[in-house]
Amino acid sequence: MAPRTRVKGDAHQQVDEPRPTVADLQGNSAFAQLAQKYWLKPSKKTTKVKVKPDVLKNEIWDVLEQEGFTFKSLLALENLQILENYLWPGYNEDSSDTQVILIVLISNIKTREHLPTWDLFTDNPTEFSSVFRRILSMTLNTTLSPTIRTHLISFIINAFQSLDSGIVRKECAPLVSISIWHNFSTEQKRERKLDQSVQLRKAWRAAAKRYDAADDTVKARLRFERSWLFTLILDFFNQLYNEKSKAENILYCERFLEFLSDLQSQLPTRRYVNTLLQDLNTLPVIRLSPSFNDEDNGLVRDLYALLKHYTYFSIDDYTGIQHTQTEAYERHCATLANLQRTALKYFKDKLTVLALSNYGSIDKRAELEDHLKALTDDEITQLCNLLDLRTSYPTSTSVVTDRHFLTEILVSYHEKRRTFQETARDLSVLPTELTLFEPTLLRNDIYDGSRPLAIPKLNLQYLTVGDFLWRSFILHRCETFYEIRKHVEGAIKRLQPSIGRNGQTTFNGFFRMAMPITKPAIMEVVPALVGDVKPSAVHAEIRIDVSNLSEKIRQEWEDFRPDDVVFLLAVQALDDSKMITNGGATPSDAQRIGLKYLRAAEVTQVLDDQGRPIRDQGNYARSGRTRTLKVNLDAAMYKEDKEREARGKPNVYESINLIVRRRNQENNFKPILESIRSLTLSDVPLASWLHEVFLGYGDPAGATYTHLSNRIKKVDYRDTFLDWQHLVESLPGKTVEPGDEVNGSFGPPYVLQSVSQTVNAPSAKPSKKRRRDAEPAPQVVSQSIEVSTYKPPNTGPYPMDAPKLNHIRFTPAQVDAIISGTQPGLTVIVGPPGTGKTDVVTQIINNIYHNFPNQRTLLIAHSNQALNQLFQKIVALDIDERHLLRLGHGEEELNTSANFSKHGRVESFLDNRAGYLHEVDRLAVNFGAPGHHGSSAETAGYFNSVYVEPAWTRFEEVAKSPDATRESILEAFPFHTYFSNTPQPVFPPDADKEALLDIANGSYHHVAKIFTELADIRPFEILRRDRDKSNYLLTNEARIIAMTSTHAAMRRQEIAALGFHYDNVVMEEAAQITEIHNFIPLALQNPKNGEMPLQRVVLCGDHYQNSPVIQNLAFRQYANLEQSLFSRLVRLGVPVINLDQQGRARPSIAELYSWRYQNLGNLPHVSSLPEFQIANAGFKYDYQFIQVDDYKGKGESEPTPHFIQNLGEAEYAVAIFQYMRLLGYPASSISILATYAGQRALIADVLAHRCAKNPLFGLPRIVTTVDKYQGEQNDYVILSLTRTSRVGFMRDIRRLTVGFSRARLGLYVLGRREVFESCFELRQMFDIIFQRPDKLQLVTGELWPSRRILSEEEGQDVPGQSQMENVEHLGQYVFEMTNAKVQQLRAERGLPEAELETISMMRQGDEEDLEVVVEEEFEDEE
């Protein structure tokens, strides 16, 4: 049994490693001086870089080695661009090993910092192959120090995690090919493996043929490739069995375990490696090693458990097919059967009981060990040999194959192992104090990239859908528990528990999210359901005192929703003087201040002091001092607690004295985790056409419509194209021809039919095996589109009957996206800022709605805001409102007259019912029909069948008669009276017969729609319960259903259980949604006949902007939890459609970020419209970087960890805002953005002091962070970069792309030039913006809007131009402007000076009064 993990030190106190500052990167440090001398010196010549070995050795390597290769020094060198400008350009085959290792070290730092690593090497693949081979050789060099070997293996790990790079894949693939099977224990075992599959035998023969045909040099390389992994594993065994292992050796072993897990977790690398690892008995070797059994090496044991999970994952390694639980058990039984047959045949006397026992009695470790005790040492060895288990290792290894070792091999090979589904089923989604402070989780808190973690990674590829779901469940559960733990710790700290006079814990502080309570009252324990052991429910009540709370906070405690989770804590304040560690684990933050127990509970109801439900009281004043929360306790934990109490342990619930809640948007973790777990435990399949592409295998283009057999040949694009010229322009490279029934050009609507024929181009040498780096087979396509049209049906004589048409002139790229999205299959649309992603998605939905009236579309977005923007555009299209439904809590923010929530749609149906029934009464008058035909939808249906339909049938008979005349048609028309209130005349006097029939048909369309609508409304007359009406609406009526990805995850089980089915999924902001939240909408329904009826998936997003927000660094970077399906598909090479013309910003502003995108241009209107031509009033430039030096001797500050502020930039931003307002800019046209939440809070604080109560200024449209403003835009943006010591996370250029692309007309960036201009990743962006002066250039003497034309001022001074030297200068100027404005207002209004005095009181002592931020604001930011 493995020893218990011991955590040294405070396991989850994260101590940030020191990072280089601006001073370290300037000329003050030794490395900076070297950089300036050798690789950063300005040079006009493009000569080949020559690396000086003595400089590398003496001035870099020796310094790093002496420091122990500290992160700070390596990061400083990386920041100084040593890899890009010196090490790599100067590399050749004669370069020293020192240079190669430095390349490895700096590359690892880039990966650790989440920076692009491999792009640098792509320009010289030959040299990269050379350096990679040298690195592989070095990994086998045991004379190198363990530290260096750890860095080398880390480089290899990073390479195998980057198989989307062609040059990396080329080097890695041979190392895990079938040739590694040369290292099997016996040739007979290998032959038996090869006989299992024809494909395996072919691959082996091909490898042998390749070797035989090679020359001596290539043969040597092939021999090295097939022995490299085997040799490395044997050396790893030696490291494990080294009794004198130091910390550096253990770190190497941990990294190597990570490497093996990575190989096992992706099918292309696992396919042959898994068999070799099992042949080497890798898991038993690790389990018996001294390193594994050292109680200090808990991480080694956790990494072993992860490797064991992947090694025994139930999948066919060669086909990639996941075994069902039944198949997995059958394979296990087959293994036991082989053991029994062998035992009966060769050891009948000693193993008869084992041979004749049932499988369930011999697949446990203890039973197997008991049976094997009967065998001698030689017999144990013989049994292993008979079962094809390796019993010997090369003499160079330290593995001793004694009886204990061989027994472990036999037991581990035959014992029953838990499946990943069983593992997931047993993990609770509700935390306790034990699961929150589990050592494995606490280890994740201190992740800094220096050591691996025992958590799964989200890779480029997955073994199966079940594997992806298991990883997602584990990671999201860890991330959730991390957030809850931080929240609980913060609550306890703020409440300041202490020991009172009576020895009881008292709370001296206050926290709005927590409240002291007395112990909960257990009201009822409901017996367990049949087949279960835990109670089916545990009802309890908790009384809270709200008398001392403010109105706002009291309302928060009263407004719990059903199923909201609260946390019940038992906190016992500790006496520091009596705390004795006694050599045990150092208590965590929460334990140090007394957390004894934590239990979760779900709120069912909130009662007032009279026992009345609060929710039933509406907005009436709620009196009384106390509230009662009715809750359901965690039943599983309640059972365990009671069992523990029966053994003499304390009663947990007697000591509970604190309740903690979380904000609504954070408190949805339980239904989300339950949804992920239910999917993990189920066999919900993906659509067959999407399955391989999702897992990352096969042809990346295999799911696009051009590769699918169900491609639709003829599609009605309705109003997508505005005219014939637009149609031709939108299809460049294609021949657009009118159909046979029409001649020449004609207007919309257009029906496009593809008449192209695909012919495979001849290839020089056909390949039987497709490689991922190879492009799909080239195809020759005759680009011909046949266009036809039709006359749109007349929809009625009323103005409201006229269809709503599209008026956007889509670009060719947008049309390409619309065509692809209208077709079946996968469509991935990359939409740079301002390129009309939302308009494209809207038109795709419109086309699907009209072309496929029986299909339903699920519309998903990351945020309510994005979803509402999209929904408002859909409402404006020619889509019947009754087919639209908006689920979730964001519907109230919709800026539409109609209510599209479930309740709102039901109400709308019933409201429309009255209007339609009134129309039925008018029709009854038209026919002179007696009775109350408009009393219900049912009676209206009878009226339709008795009066309306027969009358129309008679009219059609008259109209179809050859003798019909204009007069006879008018006389036969049955609705003259009814349509008497339409714009007259209904039938124009000059209309011919055909026109009359068209008008008559349109009129009948209007009438028929009344009865169609009433037929749809009739179920709502019959259904009585609101819930039934809502569910009927979802499952039967709605055709476009919109919800956020979070709502889909929360309600997945509920929605699927209703029998809800849909055909299409459209995701907006797909790159901002985590991969599991991308996946759940694809599985929001149950299969039909074993297949998902999904026909289309449209993903629209921009992976060059921000990724999903993940709080914990370990999960974000190590586990790659911030990966979205969108970004992974782009990495895999799935064809994407790049929208290539932006219409948001001035071309000059767009130039700052357009270089990041493929051929991003500008729409004509951003150059032609006056607002883009006119200069910004009062400013020389439309964009500018403004240098902000230390203000009052200070740059950035950090009042609390990661809460970074810069008062100088905050003052500058507000001064610019005041200046703009004094010139007449609308406040709603100005947004102020910050890169840190602390700076956002500080700017808001300054605005509150300077502007909020001043009628001259007011407040800008919004003050927020860059991350939260993605997807938004405004005319003018003031951006504070905040940092003055280092770049920080702004080095991730995606954030800066978002920040720079929010402005339409003016962008003013505040920052410290020397911090950002030296950053390699940001260079292209800042090279452009630094071409202009970094002192703010104003133009005095003009008001908004300006009359200056920007293009006429380029390169010349402007009258009234003035330079602001610093924030004080601008502040003084604004102060003087304000006083002048006040005097002007006084004169205009004839007011005495005193009445306007308060307006001008600003900047006089305000700085002294400014507080950084109150704690409550900081709490809100968290």
Side-chain angles (χ1 to χ4, degrees), residues 1101-1115:
D1102 183 3
H1103 56 296
Y1104 290 119
Q1105 296 187 56
N1106 285 338
S1107 58
V1109 176
I1110 304 298
Q1111 298 294 334
N1112 186 285
L1113 184 67
F1115 306 130

Side-chain angles (χ1 to χ4, degrees), residues 174-187 189-197 199-201 203-204 207 225-227 229-230 269-279 317-318 390:
L175 303 175
V176 291
S177 69
I178 199 171
S179 297
I180 64 175
W181 283 11
H182 278 282
N183 303 292
F184 270 17
S185 55
T186 65
E187 189 174 336
K189 182 175 182 178
R190 182 174 65 238
E191 288 300 312
R192 280 192 284 273
K193 285 288 182 185
L194 294 173
D195 288 339
Q196 291 178 5
S197 166
Q199 296 301 322
L200 286 175
R201 180 65 69 179
W204 180 258
E225 289 172 349
R226 70 193 187 194
S227 64
L229 182 60
F230 177 74
T269 53
R270 171 195 179 90
R271 183 167 281 121
Y272 307 116
V273 169
N274 189 34
T275 311
L276 177 63
L277 291 183
Q278 296 202 40
D279 173 73
D317 291 338
Y318 315 117
R390 181 188 283 266

Side-chain angles (χ1 to χ4, degrees), residues 1059-1083:
F1060 172 63
H1061 285 285
Y1062 53 94
D1063 307 272
N1064 316 296
V1065 173
V1066 178
M1067 286 192 208
E1068 174 72 297
E1069 288 185 331
Q1072 274 192 281
I1073 303 174
T1074 58
E1075 192 157 13
I1076 186 62
H1077 285 81
N1078 284 133
F1079 176 86
I1080 289 176
L1082 307 181

Side-chain angles (χ1 to χ4, degrees), residues 1089-1108:
N1089 303 320
E1091 280 282 330
M1092 278 293 189
L1094 202 59
Q1095 298 198 34
R1096 288 172 190 80
V1097 174
V1098 179
L1099 303 179
C1100 191
D1102 183 3
H1103 56 296
Y1104 290 119
Q1105 296 187 56
N1106 285 338
S1107 58

